[in-house]
Amino acid sequence: MSKSGFFSDQYVLEPGTDAEGLLSELHASVTGAPLESYPSPAYVDSRVYGTFQGIPSMVYGPLAETLHGKDERVNLESVKRCTEIYALYIARWCGVREAGQK
């Protein structure tokens, strides 16, 4: 039997990393609900970073429906929540300095 289509090695970010812990904490504080984790059978950029660059990566984003379909869409309220979580994550992960500080 011949196979057709795109095939690639999998990438798995093992649970329990500091990055995942921070995201989980911030997600819960902004949304009031625990972060849900699930594997994706699709090709995602985190696989490239993790597999080829050795950079631990995860995917997090707004609620979406019919991904890659002709009527693909995202929930606008979840885009706002994600924006807040991204900003908080960057500030906590990278640190924040007052303007003019080195």
Side-chain angles (χ1 to χ4, degrees):
M1 178 174 152
S2 67
K3 295 181 179 181
S4 64
F6 178 80
F7 295 91
S8 65
D9 294 333
Q10 69 176 357
Y11 169 72
V12 175
L13 177 65
E14 293 301 326
T17 64
D18 291 342
E20 181 187 24
L22 177 58
L23 180 60
S24 182
E25 174 191 329
L26 294 172
H27 175 89
S29 72
V30 170
T31 67
L35 179 64
E36 294 181 41
S37 178
Y38 60 92
S40 171
Y43 183 94
V44 294
D45 292 342
S46 62
R47 178 191 160 286
V48 175
Y49 294 120
T51 302
F52 300 111
Q53 301 299 318
I55 301 170
S57 306
M58 59 188 158
V59 176
Y60 178 81
L63 299 173
E65 295 178 348
T66 64
L67 296 174
H68 303 294
K70 64 181 179 184
D71 57 348
E72 177 178 10
R73 58 193 172 272
V74 295
N75 175 287
L76 292 179
E77 286 304 313
S78 73
V79 171
K80 292 176 187 177
R81 286 190 299 271
C82 283
T83 302
E84 180 180 357
I85 293 166
Y86 295 154
L88 292 169
Y89 190 98
I90 291 166
R92 289 268 302 274
W93 190 261
C94 299
V96 177
R97 294 188 308 248
E98 293 292 324
Q101 281 186 322
K102 291 185 179 188

